[in-house]
Amino acid sequence: MSPSLAPESALARRLLENMNAAVLLFDQELRLSYLNPAAEVLLAASSRQVRGVALKEMLGSNPELIDSFQRALKNNHSFTERDIPVSLPGGRTITVDCTVTPINEPKGKPELLVEIMRVDHHRRIVREESLLAQHNASRAVVRGLAHEIKNPLGGLRGAAQLLERELSDESLKEYTGIIIGEADRLQTLVNRMLGPNTLPQQRLTNIHQIVERVRTLTAAEAPPGVQIICDYDPSIPDFMADPDQLIQAVLNIVRNALQAVGQQGKIQLRTRSIRQATIGHHRYKLAVRLDIIDNGPGIPPEMMENIFFPMVTGRPDGTGLGLPIAQDLVNQHHGLIECRSEPGKTVFTLLLPIETNHEQS
Ligand SMILES: Nc1ncnc2c1ncn2[C@@H]1O[C@H](COP(=O)(O)OP(=O)(O)OP(=O)(O)O)[C@@H](O)[C@H]1O
Ligand SMILES: [Mg+2]
């Protein structure tokens, strides 16, 4: 086995150990002779397990990458490649930027220094940030619009009531009845658009309290052919939240899943805890993840980008408010809802921080 890098100064070691980039050193036979802790995390293997392992064994399913490494060593030239998908042992595929530098010390044997930065992680943060920004903008428009409608609507309804009292002809009251009825319907819609009008009532809450409540509420609505399956991680600790608001958010998503599967189907409610979660541009030590998975027809790709915007609906009787309201409520808890969908599998993921003392990432 080749000797380890053994940084001579404590400073060099400290730098390598605290870097975000994965640093790997290969000997002239392209066997791994050193990796820093970031590389251990990336490869999901300890230094002891992978030191001395040949590059081919580690990256066997990336022949082009292995070729480039060999050429770099042979021709003594460095290169950087961006956005390359790398298949890792265990079946994981990640996207990375990779810089390869041959090292030729006058007295030593040639070596290859490899620096790897994960870019999919960064992309996810950017995507989540833009999702939040878009959502905030559309929420402001909808709220503004709802406010503008609310007052004149109250006036219209009041005037129709006064008119109704003045009318002696019973047949004309049918018309004022329609005005009042439609004004009430619009009022309900406007109230939903405005969202909750009370501040969150935070208290120590458990995610399973919330999910179980939604399960009981929806079990009664679900047709007999629809199975609701729970897969809970009981170790998730309690966190400060407004349970009523979160029940509303989860309910909106589970109701959509019920509507999507129709008479026959399966809805899975799965909870997990995540360490070091990134939500938007904040990092949290601990977060809870709730997946709501259904085996319905999926969300059409052309609709996918817009489902969290208000008034976007694929149902004839839908108002398109369920998801934006759910996103709003979860955002108020510093969380986020994400979605991915294909025919037969739609997953809505709620991420909620458990430890609120977040640090800027
Ligand atoms: N699990 C799902 N499977 C397939 N399509 C879905 C799913 N969840 C949401 N959708 C699509 O996203 C649209 C928007 O959902 P949203 O809950 O915001 O509004 P809605 O259900 O149409 O109306 P409402 O305001 O009554 O909830 C739905 O109309 C549906 O087309
Ligand atoms: Mg809905």
Side-chain angles (χ1 to χ4, degrees):
M1 198 189 289
S2 313
S4 76
L5 179 64
E8 281 175 20
S9 73
L11 174 66
R13 174 172 289 134
R14 242 189 3 256
L15 291 178
L16 278 166
E17 283 180 357
N18 288 291
M19 274 170 86
N20 264 323
V23 176
L24 302 106
L25 189 74
F26 290 93
D27 66 16
Q28 59 179 355
E29 266 97 46
L30 284 178
R31 285 181 180 280
L32 188 62
S33 55
Y34 170 83
L35 72 165
N36 72 344
E40 290 183 301
V41 172
L42 187 83
L43 297 173
S46 74
S47 168
R48 212 150 14 109
Q49 287 170 309
V50 285
R51 242 195 250 175
V53 170
L55 178 70
K56 271 190 191 152
E57 257 175 77
M58 288 169 58
L59 297 178
S61 26
N62 307 270
E64 284 168 24
L65 200 60
I66 297 176
D67 264 6
S68 320
F69 278 37
Q70 280 166 338
R71 260 181 288 130
L73 191 68
K74 192 163 146 230
N75 304 331
N76 193 24
H77 76 87
S78 59
F79 70 88
T80 297
E81 273 195 51
R82 298 202 183 280
D83 281 348
I84 38 172
V86 177
S87 312
L88 295 174
R92 268 190 315 145
T93 300
I94 55 171
T95 309
V96 300
D97 286 351
C98 173
T99 300
V100 174
T101 315
I103 303 177
N104 271 310
E105 294 285 328
K107 282 186 203 148
K109 291 181 178 162
E111 289 174 304
L112 206 58
L113 176 68
V114 178
E115 294 159 72
I116 298 175
M117 278 298 280
R118 270 191 84 156
V119 288
D120 41 8
H121 179 65
H122 174 68
R123 277 220 204 93
R124 188 172 73 85
I125 294 174
V126 171
R127 196 167 55 82
E128 284 177 1
E129 271 180 3
S130 92
L131 196 71
L132 281 175
Q134 284 175 8
H135 179 70
N136 285 341
S138 73
R139 192 173 60 197
V141 172
V142 167
R143 285 232 173 101
L145 200 65
H147 265 296
E148 288 303 312
I149 296 171
K150 205 176 161 87
N151 289 340
L153 196 61
L156 274 175
R157 193 188 190 283
Q161 265 179 317
L162 290 176
L163 188 61
E164 196 172 54
R165 267 184 240 151
E166 298 297 319
L167 290 175
S168 46
D169 185 345
E170 280 301 312
S171 66
L172 291 177
K173 286 190 179 172
E174 191 186 326
Y175 300 119
T176 47
I178 291 174
I179 299 174
I180 294 166
E182 289 298 293
D184 286 345
R185 199 170 64 83
L186 215 50
Q187 188 73 54
T188 314
L189 182 70
V190 161
N191 286 342
R192 281 191 79 198
M193 284 162 79
L194 284 169
N197 58 1
T198 50
L199 284 171
Q201 302 289 313
Q202 302 252 349
R203 59 175 188 264
L204 216 52
T205 308
N206 192 282
I207 187 70
H208 301 115
Q209 235 173 287
I210 293 160
V211 188
E212 273 298 297
R213 185 72 208 283
V214 172
R215 196 174 67 91
T216 335
L217 284 170
T218 47
E221 299 168 18
V226 175
Q227 233 185 319
I228 301 180
I229 302 160
C230 302
D231 170 6
Y232 297 158
D233 172 355
S235 70
I236 300 172
D238 293 356
F239 60 106
M240 288 303 282
D242 181 328
D244 292 334
Q245 290 197 349
L246 291 183
I247 287 169
Q248 185 63 57
V250 178
L251 195 59
N252 288 0
I253 298 172
V254 176
R255 282 219 167 107
N256 282 349
L258 271 172
Q259 283 152 358
V261 296
Q263 293 302 309
Q264 286 285 331
K266 218 161 58 177
I267 298 169
Q268 229 178 306
L269 307 172
R270 184 172 64 196
T271 58
R272 292 289 179 268
S273 62
I274 330 175
R275 290 189 189 284
Q276 301 302 343
T278 309
I279 304 174
H281 54 279
H282 290 119
R283 275 237 306 266
Y284 297 91
K285 277 191 195 139
L286 194 63
V288 55
R289 173 191 176 121
L290 166 65
D291 293 317
I292 296 146
I293 308 161
D294 73 72
N295 65 349
I299 300 169
E302 65 278 7
M303 210 178 146
M304 196 62 193
E305 283 287 298
N306 300 320
I307 50 165
F308 288 105
F309 284 108
M311 308 293 164
V312 173
T313 179
R315 297 191 297 113
D317 57 344
T319 50
L321 286 175
L323 288 178
I325 288 172
Q327 184 71 278
D328 201 0
L329 294 170
V330 171
N331 288 170
Q332 283 182 32
H333 288 79
H334 309 287
L336 187 72
I337 307 175
E338 287 183 317
C339 172
R340 55 180 204 279
S341 178
E342 57 187 77
K345 189 172 185 186
T346 298
V347 186
F348 278 87
T349 299
L350 258 92
L351 290 167
L352 286 162
I354 289 183
E355 291 193 10
T356 46
N357 53 334
H358 49 249
E359 47 185 88
Q360 206 87 14
S361 70

